[in-house]
Amino acid sequence: MTKKENCSVATELGHDLPNILDDVGWCRFCFGNKHKSENSTENDNEDGVPPLLSIVTAMPQPLIEQVIDYHISWLEATGFTVRQGQWFYALLGCLEKPLTPEACSSIRTLVRL
């Protein structure tokens, strides 16, 4: 599966993961809806979903690599948060070895920040 293919995954806990290309959906999934909008409802998750083992182990490698790239972009834009550190730790721990060149590049970018 390539990065551009649709990755639709549902975990054992019933969390439907956003599409691989939906960076806004992943931001909401990981960090929640801190700022309520007109379209948000009472049931929206305000704090996001923690990086549970059942979630990250259900993610295919291309999705893990893409979400790491999203987190790197968010880190550059908004700075570090504890929740983001948890997601980085969980995602990096689930990378399969040997690492792809794209994963190596992402890790080098993260280390430079």
Side-chain angles (χ1 to χ4, degrees):
M1 181 182 309
T2 65
K3 276 190 169 186
K4 299 299 178 197
E5 289 182 31
N6 183 11
C7 290
S8 178
V9 179
T11 65
E12 292 177 11
L13 298 177
H15 294 290
D16 288 328
L17 301 182
N19 184 289
I20 191 170
L21 301 175
D22 184 7
D23 61 333
V24 174
W26 274 104
C27 188
R28 284 191 198 120
F29 184 81
C30 296
F31 304 117
N33 296 317
K34 298 287 185 194
H35 304 287
K36 287 285 189 180
S37 66
E38 294 175 13
N39 298 334
S40 63
T41 65
E42 293 291 323
N43 296 331
D44 285 345
N45 188 0
E46 290 193 31
D47 295 326
V49 177
L52 302 173
L53 186 61
S54 61
I55 294 172
V56 293
T57 57
M59 296 169 65
Q61 286 299 299
L63 181 58
I64 290 173
E65 291 177 14
Q66 183 63 50
V67 175
I68 288 171
D69 287 341
Y70 290 151
H71 276 276
I72 291 169
S73 297
W74 300 329
L75 177 62
E76 290 174 320
T78 63
F80 182 78
T81 65
V82 172
R83 175 58 61 92
Q84 190 169 45
Q86 294 170 343
W87 271 100
F88 271 127
Y89 185 83
L91 292 167
L92 291 170
C94 287
L95 284 174
E96 292 178 357
K97 285 69 172 180
L99 297 174
T100 64
E102 293 82 9
C104 290
S105 176
S106 295
I107 292 170
R108 279 192 292 274
T109 301
L110 176 61
V111 171
R112 286 188 203 115
L113 296 177

